[in-house]
Structure formats: structure tokens, C-alpha cells
Amino acid sequence: MRLPDPALVVLVGASGAGKSTWAAARYRGAEVVSSDALRGVLGSGPHDLDASTDAFAVLETVVAARLRRGLTTVVDTLGLDATKRRAWLGAARARRLPAVAVVLDTPDAECRRRNGSRDRPVPAPVLAGQLRTVRDVRPLLDAEGWDLVVDVVADEAAAPPAPVAAPRPTEDRTSSLGLRSVLQVSRFPWGEDPLAWLTDVARAADEAGFAGLALMDHLIQVPQVGRAWDPIPEPWVSLGAIAAAGTGLELGTLCTPVTFRPAGVTAKAAATLSALTGGRAFVGIGAGWFEREHAAYGIAFPPARERLDDLERAVVTMKALWAAGTKAYDDHGVVLPETTSYPRPAGSIPVVVGGSGERRTLRIAAQHGDACNLRTTDEGELERLVGVLHAHCDDVGRDRSEVAVTVLDLPVVGADRDDVWARVETLRGRTPAATYAARTHAATVADHRDRWARLAGLGVSTVFIATPDLRAPDDVLALRGLNA
């Protein structure tokens, strides 16, 4: 079971039940506030009962401070004092954090055996009282109003979560979740050899089981990703270089603004890439939004309504030029005297319409696109936008299955909880850690797979993933578990 995160987690069990072992297998050391550990700091050792009063005073201070910052806090004590439990529950409620009680149901005999092996065991009468209390605690927890009460049997206390399976080889690179993933490269710390860095990252994505690789299309690095003087290469030139790396990746943009090039020129670039890759090209296209880069490069930046009109005409124009023959075209406001465009694409070129504008963008995707790329920040909002897209499909008379739902995901991904939070601390800048972690869904590969499974349940078919700390091919290989 995946517990809420961030959350307050209170462990409940007798001495020797395995609470500390269970917590250590699932949480970072900094997230676990342990009365035994504090006795070790404030007294002669973790079982120095003479230090209990001081240890619990510090424990309460640490718990309150972590909850105030919205951080996951695991309270590792006996958890048998109802008054303390209710106080912790109230503190979590005040901070709007989920509150979880974890009851370790370890056999009495095993608790006594473990207790007896300690240097300073809990006195037998005291342990007997704890065991009696544990037997009666479950109904009390239900009545106290915890968001979740989890019962852990003895074997589960010591066992960490099962590892993520290795990627399974599938021809179409669809994972066991029913999703395809595309690595979006948005930052380029390529050092002295840009071409080697690009091709090595592409080969790593291929090895890690990604279905494709996408490049942003910007003239100046966007502030959400990096500094204005960071490198941001022209994507179609770069994709041509990557095509020579000999991978099986689909290659394309996410997203090309219609303001940068005439639609026919983009169609020519994509058709050429398709020919060079044996039909593995796609085009992500949008209305454009970054006014600064347009001004800097002397490119017009019309009002939003005009850009959306251009977006619709661009999709229609590209598809007309990719169609068979060289006949004239006149439909949907696009007039072409001929559609002579060679080389021909080696396969169909999917057009992914980027943006979540409900009235125009989603309607353009529904009527003309092959996919629509939506936000992933909030699953409820995503579900609503999928409903809007499907309503547009119904309205224009197009089967919903003809327009795939894709999402751009910008997560922090770590090997374990310590790695996840180390990355959060490195990346968050002046943003509070809990806020940044929530915004980026900071988690391990296994947790992200759980989240992706929910996205698949909402109808998502492809995830474009751009991690905020991609530096080298090894960072891409570390994501291979997402594609299992």
C-alpha cells in the first residue's frame, strides 16, 4: 500500500514490534522522529528510560516544526497514549496534512524475544501492559478519525517495498501500465562536445525503454527551465543529428510555435525527419507564448486570437502537404495551389496540439490533431480537461479514440527517499521544500509509476517526461523503471 505523502504517520505497537525497522525501510532518516533515537542523544542510549521526559519534549518540538512546514513526519514511539495521538492528529488537521496510523500486529512471543535481546530490556510487566493495550487499540483508532489506519503483520514490518521490475521488451514500447513515455530534453548542459552529449542522451533514452525523444522549440531558454544564456538549440537541426545515432526512438518537438516558421516549412522539416528515420517523426505544435523571444529575434507576436487561427491553419496545411499526390487544396480556410512536397514522409506523422485552452485549443485538437497535450499538475483538472476535449470531439463528429491524450510531466525522480529529498533541496531555490516537492510530484520511480497508473486510468496514452535535473546519460538510465 502506498501511503499519502506528505503526511503525518504515527506508528502504534509494543516494544519489539518492529516499528523502527518498518519506518527505516520506507522513509528517510530525517523524516522519522524516534523517541528511542532521542533517548540516545539525550541519555546514555536508545533504551535509557531515565531520558524519556527530555526525549519526548524534543520529539514534540520536532514533530510540530515539521508539520508546520508541511513535511512528512513519522512518529516512532509506542503510539499507545490516546491523548498524545489525538494531539498529533489535531496538529496534522491544522496543517491540512493526511493523518495515518500504522499498527504493527507482531505476535506477543516475538515482541518478548526481541525485547529480551536488548541491552536494557523493557521490564516484563511493562511489556505485558503494552501488549494488552495493543490488542484493544484498533477500535480506538477507528473512533479517533484517522484518515487511514494500516495494519502491518510481522513479516511486512521488516520487508521493504518490492523493487520495480526491469523494463520489459515490447515492440511498441508500451509499458505494463499501458503508457508510452517520451523523454523531453529541455536543458542542455553539454559542455565542450554538444553533439556527443545529444547522441549519448538519445542512446540512453533508447536503452531505458523510452518510446521517443522530444526537444523544446525556443529561441531563448525559458525561465521555468534555466537562465537566458543557457544553450537552447534549434530543434529540427538537432533532431537530424540525433537521427544519425541509430536509435529506435520517435523524434519530434514539444512544442513548435506557429509563429516561428510558415507551416509549410515545418511540414518540410518533419517530412525530411520522417524520411531519415524510417517514419519515426512527430510534430508537437502550439500557438506560442514567450513574447520575449519573438521580440529579441524580430518575429511578430500577434494577439492570442490570431495565433490560434494560425495554429488551426498550420495543422491543416501540414496534413495537406503530407497527403498523397500533388493536387490543389482548399478547405478549412487553407488554400494551396499544389501540394508538391518531397521527400514524402516514410510513415504517418502524428500532430500533437499543445495547450489547454478550453474554447479554441482543445477544439482545434479535437477537429484536426492526432493528440492533445495537457497539464498534469492536478489529476482532477486533467480529468476535467479530458472531458472538455471529448465534448469537442463529439461536437465536431470525430471519434474520441482518434485524438490521443498526452501529458507533459515535470517530476523530480529519485532512487530512494533520501535521494528524492536531496534533489528537492538542490532544486527548490527559495521555494519551501514541501511546496516544491508537491509541485514536482517528488518521489521514487515506484511512486511515479503509481501516479502514472492513475493517469492511464484517466485516458492518458503518452507521457512526455522532462526532469528538472537531467545532466548526463546516466540520469536518463536512472529512469528506466518508469518504462517497465
Side-chain angles (χ1 to χ4, degrees), residues 183-367:
L183 179 71
Q184 192 206 41
V185 183
S186 55
R187 64 195 69 245
F188 301 85
W190 52 26
E192 299 299 319
D193 196 342
L195 180 59
W197 187 90
L198 274 175
T199 52
D200 287 348
V201 165
R203 292 188 182 106
D206 195 34
E207 182 180 341
F210 284 94
L213 184 146
L215 298 182
M216 293 201 308
D217 193 353
H218 284 289
L219 303 172
I220 298 174
Q221 181 60 277
V222 297
Q224 298 91 325
V225 174
R227 304 163 300 182
W229 55 89
D230 288 337
I232 179 77
E234 201 288 327
W236 295 104
V237 172
S238 303
L239 290 168
I242 293 171
T247 72
L249 298 170
E250 299 170 15
L251 302 175
T253 56
L254 196 75
C255 283
T256 283
V258 293
T259 49
F260 280 8
R261 309 167 187 84
V265 176
T266 299
K268 170 65 77 171
T272 302
L273 184 62
S274 176
L276 294 176
T277 59
R280 290 182 284 106
F282 62 88
V283 176
I285 192 165
W289 60 270
F290 193 18
E291 187 172 4
R292 173 184 173 182
E293 64 188 348
H294 291 75
Y297 280 73
I299 299 173
F301 188 69
R305 181 174 180 176
E306 292 182 33
R307 300 200 309 274
L308 288 166
D309 289 341
D310 290 340
L311 174 60
E312 182 168 14
R313 286 191 291 265
V315 179
V316 172
T317 299
M318 289 189 296
K319 293 199 168 222
L321 290 169
W322 295 331
T326 60
K327 57 186 178 297
Y329 183 89
D330 185 353
D331 200 4
H332 298 292
V334 173
V335 178
L336 303 173
E338 59 179 314
T339 51
T340 304
S341 181
Y342 295 90
R344 311 299 299 172
S348 62
I349 301 179
V351 176
V352 183
V353 177
S356 300
E358 298 179 31
R359 191 176 67 86
R360 285 294 311 277
T361 307
L362 296 188
R363 189 173 184 86
I364 292 168
Q367 188 163 12

Side-chain angles (χ1 to χ4, degrees), residues 1-376:
M1 178 182 294
R2 299 285 176 193
L3 301 186
D5 189 14
L8 166 71
V9 180
V10 174
L11 307 185
V12 180
S15 299
K19 299 182 296 297
S20 298
T21 301
W22 183 91
R26 291 158 177 83
Y27 293 93
R28 299 184 302 133
E31 294 172 317
V32 181
V33 190
S34 165
S35 55
D36 283 352
L38 291 171
R39 274 191 284 260
V41 172
L42 302 171
S44 61
H47 305 299
D48 181 0
L49 299 181
D50 295 336
S52 292
T53 299
D54 291 336
F56 273 98
V58 174
L59 181 144
E60 296 293 353
T61 299
V62 174
V63 169
R66 289 188 62 84
L67 293 181
R68 188 163 58 249
R69 290 172 174 81
L71 298 172
T72 286
T73 305
V74 182
V75 182
D76 181 10
T77 69
L78 294 175
L80 300 177
D81 186 319
T83 301
K84 289 181 178 179
R85 284 199 310 267
R86 286 194 291 269
W88 294 326
L89 178 59
R93 289 277 186 271
R95 299 298 170 180
R96 297 184 178 179
L97 285 174
V100 181
V102 177
V103 182
L104 282 93
D105 185 17
T106 305
D108 293 3
E110 180 62 14
C111 291
R112 292 190 177 96
R113 184 191 67 77
R114 293 173 182 173
N115 180 59
S117 67
R118 292 174 172 174
D119 293 336
R120 294 187 63 178
V122 174
V126 174
L127 179 57
Q130 294 175 7
L131 294 171
R132 286 194 299 271
T133 303
V134 170
R135 285 193 288 271
D136 298 331
V137 76
R138 192 60 167 79
L140 299 177
L141 293 171
D142 291 336
E144 287 169 4
W146 294 82
D147 295 304
L148 182 64
V149 179
V150 179
D151 295 296
V152 177
V153 299
D155 290 342
E156 294 172 347
V164 176
R168 60 172 194 172
T170 55
E171 185 176 349
D172 64 358
R173 302 198 181 190
T174 300
S175 76
S176 58
L177 300 176
L179 289 173
R180 300 165 71 259
S181 62
V182 176
L183 179 71
Q184 192 206 41
V185 183
S186 55
R187 64 195 69 245
F188 301 85
W190 52 26
E192 299 299 319
D193 196 342
L195 180 59
W197 187 90
L198 274 175
T199 52
D200 287 348
V201 165
R203 292 188 182 106
D206 195 34
E207 182 180 341
F210 284 94
L213 184 146
L215 298 182
M216 293 201 308
D217 193 353
H218 284 289
L219 303 172
I220 298 174
Q221 181 60 277
V222 297
Q224 298 91 325
V225 174
R227 304 163 300 182
W229 55 89
D230 288 337
I232 179 77
E234 201 288 327
W236 295 104
V237 172
S238 303
L239 290 168
I242 293 171
T247 72
L249 298 170
E250 299 170 15
L251 302 175
T253 56
L254 196 75
C255 283
T256 283
V258 293
T259 49
F260 280 8
R261 309 167 187 84
V265 176
T266 299
K268 170 65 77 171
T272 302
L273 184 62
S274 176
L276 294 176
T277 59
R280 290 182 284 106
F282 62 88
V283 176
I285 192 165
W289 60 270
F290 193 18
E291 187 172 4
R292 173 184 173 182
E293 64 188 348
H294 291 75
Y297 280 73
I299 299 173
F301 188 69
R305 181 174 180 176
E306 292 182 33
R307 300 200 309 274
L308 288 166
D309 289 341
D310 290 340
L311 174 60
E312 182 168 14
R313 286 191 291 265
V315 179
V316 172
T317 299
M318 289 189 296
K319 293 199 168 222
L321 290 169
W322 295 331
T326 60
K327 57 186 178 297
Y329 183 89
D330 185 353
D331 200 4
H332 298 292
V334 173
V335 178
L336 303 173
E338 59 179 314
T339 51
T340 304
S341 181
Y342 295 90
R344 311 299 299 172
S348 62
I349 301 179
V351 176
V352 183
V353 177
S356 300
E358 298 179 31
R359 191 176 67 86
R360 285 294 311 277
T361 307
L362 296 188
R363 189 173 184 86
I364 292 168
Q367 188 163 12
H368 303 293
D370 300 295
C372 186
N373 194 64
L374 301 173
R375 300 186 290 259
T376 60

Side-chain angles (χ1 to χ4, degrees), residues 414-448:
D416 53 33
R417 291 185 69 86
D418 283 308
D419 186 31
V420 168
W421 281 91
R423 291 171 187 263
V424 168
E425 283 301 312
T426 299
L427 296 166
R428 70 183 180 90
R430 299 180 66 86
T431 304
T435 301
Y436 184 83
R439 179 190 305 160
T440 59
H441 304 288
T444 63
V445 168
D447 288 328
H448 282 297

